[in-house]
């Protein structure tokens, strides 16, 4: 908005000053008087207030968010965030803390656990890291490849070994489901029965409160998860999300976001995994926790630290407040010009008074922007 205004404002005020000079001169005043009135018009219309309307708000907003552990990475991130009407969350590492514990360690042979850990060492996925922590020792395998949303695989002398999702590893009927829908990985290897790894993850301490706060702000909240339906349903029910989709691969998340945007939705995507990076790039605006994979942090417009998910609410609230303050700043700047410019053209304003008035309008815009630093914080 500021750029579009500046494109027309600068030439307009110069033309107005030239017309002022010509008008006073044609009315019979000498060129010195005419020039003084033209200079007064140029000074009083100096676009300092318009030029400060946006950047001062952005600086104050970025400083406030940084003090709360939230990094603003995109220059227009706050402007886009203020427009959202839908928030889409990933599950593992986003709604949950992403530090999982292997529950059925006693049921897994040491050899199978060591092999799984050797595969998992090459991945930053929370489930893979949980396997590595559960193993006493492991040596990374050569030639391990990771398929986002599916798992890890490597070629060994005995054949291909896979560690990943149920659908990708295709373990058959072995391994009954655990009531409550726990996250799982499967290890499949030649001439050995499939091995199920079950994990327990904890929600972020304020996940439910965050979802409630976002809903109260008029935002639609959805969950896109690569986990099984039982896992996604359990988490969605616990935090209060009515719309959720399970077993979504990376390209599926992108397609889901594109479908929402095709309906006119402005989507904030919050995710952390390697498989979330395409979705973060596709969304109207995006956020990632500081524990996210490097590629996700690179793709995100905002990165927040700590265990608290309230950073999402805080960032949205700051973005909305920033937008209101920018609009107010523009309004005050235009009101000032609507009053001062006619007075300057008619000769009621000297260059000295014009300079004082112009400076005062800039100070008013700055003071209004500083109100953001005193706005309320937190979920409540």
């Amino acid at each position: 908005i500021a750029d579009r205004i500046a494109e027309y404002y600068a030439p307009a005020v110069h033309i107005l000053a030239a017309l002022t000079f010509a008008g006073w001169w044609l009315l019979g005043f000498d060129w010195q008087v005419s020039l003084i009135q033209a200079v007064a018009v140029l000074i009083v219309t100096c676009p300092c207030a318009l030029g400060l309307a946006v950047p001062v708000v952005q600086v104050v907003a970025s400083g406030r968010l940084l003090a709360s552990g939230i990094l603003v990475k995109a220059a227009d991130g706050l402007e886009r965030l203020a427009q959202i009407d839908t928030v889409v969350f990933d599950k593992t590492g986003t709604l949950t803390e992403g530090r999982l514990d292997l529950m059925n360690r006693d049921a897994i042979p040491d050899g199978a656990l060591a092999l799984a850990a050797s595969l998992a060492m090459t991945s930053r996925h929370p489930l893979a890291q949980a396997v590595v922590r559960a193993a006493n020792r492991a040596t990374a395998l050569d030639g391990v490849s990771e398929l986002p949303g599916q798992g890890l695989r490597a070629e060994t002398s005995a054949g291909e070994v896979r560690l990943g999702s149920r659908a990708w590893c295709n373990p058959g009927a072995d391994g009954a489901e655990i009531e409550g829908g726990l996250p799982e990985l499967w290890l499949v290897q030649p001439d050995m029965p499939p091995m199920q790894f079950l994990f327990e993850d904890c929600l972020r301490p304020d996940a439910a409160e965050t979802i409630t706060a976002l809903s109260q702000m008029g935002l639609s909240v959805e969950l896109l998860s690569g986990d099984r339906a039982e896992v996604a349903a359990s988490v969605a029910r616990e935090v209060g999300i009515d719309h959720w989709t399970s077993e979504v691969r990376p390209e599926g998340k992108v397609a889901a976001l594109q479908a929402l945007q095709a309906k006119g939705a402005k989507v904030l995507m919050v995710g952390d995994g390697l498989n979330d990076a395409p979705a973060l790039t596709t969304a109207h605006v995006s956020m990632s926790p500081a524990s996210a994979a490097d590629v996700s942090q690179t793709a995100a417009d905002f990165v927040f630290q700590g265990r608290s998910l309230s950073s999402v609410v805080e960032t949205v609230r700051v973005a909305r407040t920033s937008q209101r303050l920018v609009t107010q700043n523009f309004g005050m700047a235009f009101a000032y010009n609507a009053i001062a410019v006619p007075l300057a053209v008619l000769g009621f304003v000297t260059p000295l008074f014009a300079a004082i008035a112009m400076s005062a309008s800039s100070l008013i815009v700055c003071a209004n922007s500083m109100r953001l630093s005193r706005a309320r914080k937190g979920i409540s």
Side-chain angles (χ1 to χ4, degrees):
I1 295 175
D3 291 342
R4 289 198 297 269
I5 292 174
E7 183 178 354
Y8 299 101
Y9 186 85
V13 297
H14 284 80
I15 293 172
L16 180 61
L19 292 175
T20 300
F21 175 84
W24 278 77
W25 186 62
L26 290 174
L27 288 173
F29 293 91
D30 57 37
W31 68 270
Q32 292 97 335
V33 174
S34 301
L35 181 61
I36 287 175
Q37 300 311 317
V39 169
V41 170
L42 277 178
I43 294 175
V44 85
T45 57
C46 181
C48 291
L50 284 174
L52 293 171
V54 176
V56 173
V57 173
Q58 287 188 329
V59 168
V60 175
S62 298
R64 169 173 168 165
L65 291 175
L66 189 60
S68 301
I70 305 165
L71 175 65
V72 181
K73 293 179 61 234
D76 61 344
L78 288 168
E79 186 175 356
R80 285 184 282 124
L81 186 60
Q83 301 168 355
I84 66 164
D85 52 30
T86 305
V87 183
V88 176
F89 284 95
D90 173 49
K91 184 187 76 66
T92 305
T94 305
L95 285 176
T96 66
E97 296 202 72
R99 183 175 175 85
L100 300 98
D101 295 318
L102 183 61
M103 290 189 61
N104 61 334
R105 169 66 182 86
D106 295 338
I108 300 174
D110 291 339
L113 181 59
L115 177 60
S118 297
L119 287 166
M121 288 179 69
T122 61
S123 174
R124 290 192 59 184
H125 192 282
L127 292 177
Q129 293 177 352
V131 172
V132 175
R133 288 195 302 270
N136 292 327
R137 64 179 64 182
T139 303
L141 288 176
D142 294 328
V144 177
S145 59
E146 182 170 6
L147 282 71
Q150 299 184 67
L152 302 155
R153 66 182 178 188
E155 289 291 338
T156 67
S157 57
E160 185 182 66
V161 179
R162 289 188 176 188
L163 177 69
S165 67
R166 175 186 291 264
W168 185 56
C169 292
N170 190 26
D174 296 280
E177 300 284 355
I178 299 295
E179 185 177 355
L182 295 174
E184 66 172 1
L185 284 178
W186 284 88
L187 175 69
V188 292
Q189 53 184 316
D191 303 323
M192 295 292 290
M195 185 65 59
Q196 185 184 36
F197 294 72
L198 293 171
F199 303 88
E200 184 177 32
D201 196 4
C202 297
L203 287 172
R204 290 184 183 263
D206 57 352
E209 291 85 349
T210 296
I211 301 305
T212 300
L214 291 172
S215 299
Q216 291 174 344
M217 295 170 74
L219 299 172
S220 174
V221 183
E222 300 188 15
L223 170 65
L224 290 179
S225 174
D227 286 316
R228 294 171 293 123
E230 297 88 342
V231 181
S234 176
V235 170
R237 183 170 55 251
E238 193 167 351
V239 300
I241 296 178
D242 296 327
H243 302 286
W244 56 271
T245 307
S246 61
E247 301 182 36
V248 186
R249 297 180 62 178
E251 58 270 24
K253 292 185 178 182
V254 172
L257 294 181
Q258 290 174 338
L260 287 171
Q261 292 172 339
K263 297 177 182 178
K266 302 289 188 182
V267 182
L268 164 63
M269 175 69 192
V270 187
D272 78 309
L274 177 67
N275 58 340
D276 293 323
L280 292 171
T281 304
T282 301
H284 186 64
V285 63
S286 55
M287 293 184 69
S288 283
S291 57
D294 291 343
V295 65
S296 294
Q297 293 190 51
T298 300
D301 299 305
F302 299 87
V303 175
F304 63 91
Q305 297 180 346
R307 298 175 59 201
S308 176
L309 203 59
S310 64
S311 296
V312 178
V313 178
E314 171 73 359
T315 310
V316 174
R317 181 171 289 133
V318 168
R320 288 183 170 185
T321 304
S322 299
Q323 193 74 2
R324 287 196 298 271
L325 290 177
V326 165
T327 302
Q328 291 170 10
N329 287 347
F330 280 137
M332 288 186 289
F334 281 118
Y336 156 77
N337 280 282
I339 296 171
V341 171
L343 293 176
V345 172
L346 294 174
F348 293 107
V349 177
T350 65
L352 176 60
F353 185 81
I356 295 173
M358 180 270 295
S359 299
S361 69
S362 300
L363 291 174
I364 291 172
V365 165
C366 290
N368 187 57
S369 302
M370 292 301 296
R371 292 168 51 209
L372 179 58
S373 63
R374 298 188 298 272
R376 63 175 182 163
K377 298 183 179 182
I379 290 179
S380 60

